[in-house]
Amino acid sequence: MAGTLSPWPQISQGAKEHPVPTLQYLLRARGKTVTVDGIFGPQTDAAVRAFQHDRGLTVDGIVGPNTWAALIIQVKQGAQGDAVRGVQEEFQFRNLSGDPSQGLAVDGIFGPETDAAVRGFQSAIHADVPSMAVDGIVGPMTWQALVSGMLSF
């Protein structure tokens, strides 16, 4: 039987650590002013609410499936910016060495190393979820698998 993707996480003010930095990078990529500090505080809450309002979503400050789906930005090799940093942050979260210099650099440049990481992740997910394309493109399914914490032990 084919596996399924883990559901989008639901986070709100008070959340810390994963996937808060990714949320903050995506908010920045969507033009909101927010510090990427891994803490879902008042500034992040205000940015989430403003984004939800802009998109006609329920303005509740809770980042659930609808807000995540509106926030994500498809990225692939050649892309640059905060959405790419969000993808790279997800791989840094999965870096179990404890040494950030050993993992994927969070530099906002979707180059060969980020492409290889994305394809490796997609291949691992594809083994359980055959509908996951292994194409190096971080679209809705790949974002959901990353943000929901799949393959993070």
Side-chain angles (χ1 to χ4, degrees):
M1 185 182 114
T4 56
L5 293 177
S6 297
W8 287 104
Q10 185 166 303
I11 59 172
S12 56
Q13 191 162 340
K16 290 181 170 62
E17 306 304 323
H18 183 266
V20 176
T22 303
L23 166 66
Q24 292 168 327
Y25 279 124
L26 286 168
L27 285 166
R28 286 168 54 121
R30 292 294 190 178
K32 302 300 174 201
T33 303
V34 60
T35 302
V36 179
D37 59 5
I39 300 166
F40 197 137
Q43 183 193 43
T44 300
D45 182 66
V48 166
R49 289 173 186 272
F51 176 79
Q52 289 172 327
H53 176 267
D54 294 349
R55 290 301 174 107
L57 299 166
T58 301
V59 180
D60 57 8
I62 298 168
V63 183
N66 295 338
T67 301
W68 280 116
L71 267 173
I72 59 169
I73 297 170
Q74 181 171 294
V75 292
K76 62 184 179 187
Q77 191 155 353
Q80 293 188 20
D82 282 321
V84 175
R85 286 184 185 89
V87 171
Q88 293 166 333
E89 174 66 37
E90 286 295 327
F91 287 103
Q92 197 52 255
F93 171 68
R94 289 165 175 77
N95 170 14
L96 302 179
S97 73
D99 179 356
S101 71
Q102 297 298 309
L104 192 62
V106 181
D107 60 8
I109 300 166
F110 199 129
E113 291 176 8
T114 301
D115 184 67
V118 168
R119 288 175 189 271
F121 179 79
Q122 290 172 329
S123 289
I125 297 292
H126 179 82
D128 286 329
V129 185
S131 57
M132 172 67 77
V134 182
D135 56 10
I137 299 169
V138 184
M141 281 187 75
T142 304
W143 271 115
Q144 184 176 336
L146 285 167
V147 171
S148 69
M150 291 180 79
L151 301 185
S152 60
F153 302 98

Coordinates of all heavy atoms in Angstrom, one line a residue, residues 1 8 11-12 16 25-26 28 31 34 37 44-45 60 65 71 84 91-92 107 113 129 137 140-141 147 150:
M1 N 0.8 -1.2 0.0 CA 0.0 0.0 0.0 C 0.9 1.2 0.0 O 1.9 1.3 0.7 CB -0.9 0.0 1.2 CG -1.9 1.1 1.3 SD -2.9 1.1 2.8 CE -2.3 2.6 3.5
W8 N 0.1 18.9 6.9 CA 0.7 20.2 7.2 C 0.6 20.4 8.7 O -0.4 20.1 9.3 CB -0.1 21.3 6.5 CG 0.1 21.4 5.0 CD1 -0.8 21.1 4.1 CD2 1.2 22.0 4.3 NE1 -0.4 21.4 2.8 CE2 0.9 22.0 3.0 CE3 2.4 22.6 4.7 CZ2 1.7 22.4 2.0 CZ3 3.3 23.0 3.8 CH2 2.9 23.0 2.4
I11 N 0.6 25.6 13.4 CA 1.4 26.3 14.4 C 0.8 27.7 14.5 O 0.1 28.2 13.7 CB 2.9 26.4 14.0 CG1 3.1 27.1 12.6 CG2 3.5 25.0 14.0 CD1 4.5 27.4 12.3
S12 N 1.0 28.3 15.7 CA 0.5 29.6 16.0 C 1.4 30.2 17.1 O 2.5 29.6 17.4 CB -0.9 29.5 16.6 OG -1.0 28.7 17.7
K16 N 7.9 27.4 18.7 CA 9.3 27.6 18.6 C 10.0 26.5 17.7 O 9.4 25.4 17.7 CB 10.0 27.6 20.0 CG 9.7 28.8 20.8 CD 10.4 28.8 22.2 CE 10.3 30.0 23.0 NZ 9.0 30.4 23.4
Y25 N 10.8 32.6 6.7 CA 11.3 32.8 5.4 C 10.3 33.0 4.4 O 10.3 33.8 3.5 CB 12.3 31.7 5.0 CG 13.7 31.8 5.6 CD1 14.2 30.8 6.4 CD2 14.5 32.9 5.4 CE1 15.5 30.8 7.0 CE2 15.7 33.0 6.0 CZ 16.2 32.0 6.7 OH 17.5 32.0 7.3
L26 N 9.2 32.1 4.4 CA 8.1 32.2 3.4 C 7.4 33.6 3.6 O 7.0 34.2 2.6 CB 7.2 31.0 3.6 CG 7.8 29.7 3.0 CD1 6.9 28.5 3.4 CD2 7.9 29.8 1.5
R28 N 8.6 36.4 4.6 CA 9.5 37.4 4.0 C 9.5 37.3 2.5 O 9.4 38.3 1.8 CB 11.0 37.1 4.5 CG 11.2 37.6 5.9 CD 12.5 37.1 6.4 NE 13.6 37.5 5.6 CZ 14.7 38.2 6.0 NH1 14.7 38.6 7.3 NH2 15.7 38.5 5.2
G31 N 6.8 39.2 1.1 CA 6.8 40.7 1.3 C 6.5 41.1 2.7 O 6.4 42.4 2.9
V34 N 9.6 40.4 8.8 CA 9.7 39.5 9.9 C 11.1 39.1 10.1 O 11.9 38.9 9.1 CB 8.7 38.3 9.8 CG1 9.0 37.5 8.6 CG2 8.6 37.5 11.0
D37 N 13.9 34.1 13.4 CA 14.5 33.8 14.7 C 14.0 32.5 15.3 O 14.4 32.0 16.4 CB 14.3 34.9 15.7 CG 12.9 35.2 16.0 OD1 12.0 34.5 15.5 OD2 12.6 36.2 16.7
T44 N 5.7 37.8 14.1 CA 5.3 36.7 13.2 C 3.8 36.6 13.2 O 3.2 36.5 12.1 CB 6.0 35.4 13.6 OG1 7.4 35.6 13.6 CG2 5.6 34.3 12.6
D45 N 3.2 36.7 14.3 CA 1.7 36.6 14.4 C 1.1 37.7 13.5 O 0.2 37.5 12.8 CB 1.2 36.7 15.8 CG -0.3 36.5 16.0 OD1 -0.8 35.5 15.7 OD2 -0.9 37.5 16.3
D60 N -6.8 34.3 11.7 CA -6.8 33.7 13.0 C -5.4 33.6 13.6 O -5.2 33.2 14.7 CB -7.5 32.4 13.1 CG -7.0 31.3 12.1 OD1 -5.9 31.6 11.5 OD2 -7.6 30.3 12.0
P65 N -3.3 24.1 7.1 CA -3.1 23.7 5.7 C -3.4 24.8 4.7 O -2.7 25.0 3.7 CB -4.2 22.6 5.5 CG -4.3 22.0 6.9 CD -4.1 23.2 7.8
L71 N 1.1 30.2 1.3 CA 2.4 30.8 1.5 C 3.5 30.2 0.6 O 4.4 30.9 0.2 CB 2.8 30.5 3.0 CG 2.5 31.5 4.0 CD1 2.9 30.9 5.4 CD2 3.3 32.8 3.8
V84 N 13.8 30.1 -1.1 CA 14.9 29.1 -1.2 C 15.6 28.9 0.2 O 15.9 27.8 0.6 CB 16.0 29.5 -2.2 CG1 17.2 28.5 -2.2 CG2 15.4 29.6 -3.6
F91 N 16.5 21.5 5.2 CA 17.6 20.5 5.2 C 18.5 20.7 6.4 O 19.1 19.8 6.9 CB 18.3 20.6 3.8 CG 17.4 19.9 2.8 CD1 16.7 20.7 1.9 CD2 17.3 18.5 2.7 CE1 15.9 20.1 0.9 CE2 16.4 17.9 1.8 CZ 15.8 18.7 0.9
Q92 N 18.7 22.0 6.8 CA 19.5 22.2 8.0 C 18.9 21.6 9.2 O 19.5 21.0 10.1 CB 19.7 23.7 8.2 CG 20.8 24.2 9.1 CD 22.2 23.5 8.7 OE1 22.6 22.6 9.4 NE2 22.8 24.0 7.7
D107 N 21.8 29.9 2.1 CA 22.3 31.1 1.4 C 21.3 31.7 0.4 O 21.6 32.7 -0.2 CB 23.6 30.8 0.7 CG 23.5 29.7 -0.3 OD1 22.4 29.3 -0.7 OD2 24.6 29.3 -0.8
E113 N 23.9 21.9 -5.0 CA 23.9 21.2 -3.7 C 22.4 21.2 -3.2 O 22.0 20.2 -2.7 CB 24.8 21.9 -2.7 CG 26.2 21.7 -3.0 CD 27.2 22.4 -2.0 OE1 26.7 23.0 -1.0 OE2 28.4 22.4 -2.3
V129 N 5.7 7.1 -1.1 CA 4.6 7.9 -1.7 C 4.9 8.0 -3.2 O 5.5 9.0 -3.6 CB 4.5 9.3 -1.1 CG1 3.3 10.0 -1.6 CG2 4.4 9.2 0.5
I137 N 12.1 20.0 -8.2 CA 11.2 21.2 -8.1 C 10.5 21.1 -6.7 O 9.9 20.1 -6.4 CB 10.2 21.2 -9.2 CG1 11.0 21.4 -10.6 CG2 9.2 22.4 -9.0 CD1 10.0 21.2 -11.8
P140 N 4.1 22.0 -4.2 CA 3.3 21.7 -3.0 C 3.5 20.4 -2.3 O 3.6 20.4 -1.0 CB 1.8 21.7 -3.6 CG 1.9 22.6 -4.8 CD 3.3 22.4 -5.4
M141 N 3.7 19.3 -3.0 CA 4.0 18.0 -2.3 C 5.3 18.0 -1.5 O 5.4 17.6 -0.4 CB 3.9 16.8 -3.3 CG 2.5 16.4 -3.7 SD 2.6 14.9 -4.6 CE 3.0 13.7 -3.4
V147 N 7.9 20.6 5.4 CA 7.4 21.3 6.5 C 6.8 20.4 7.6 O 6.8 20.7 8.8 CB 6.4 22.4 6.0 CG1 5.7 23.1 7.2 CG2 7.1 23.5 5.2
M150 N 8.7 15.2 7.6 CA 9.0 13.9 7.1 C 10.5 13.7 6.9 O 11.2 14.6 6.6 CB 8.3 13.6 5.8 CG 6.8 13.5 5.9 SD 5.9 13.2 4.4 CE 6.2 11.4 4.2

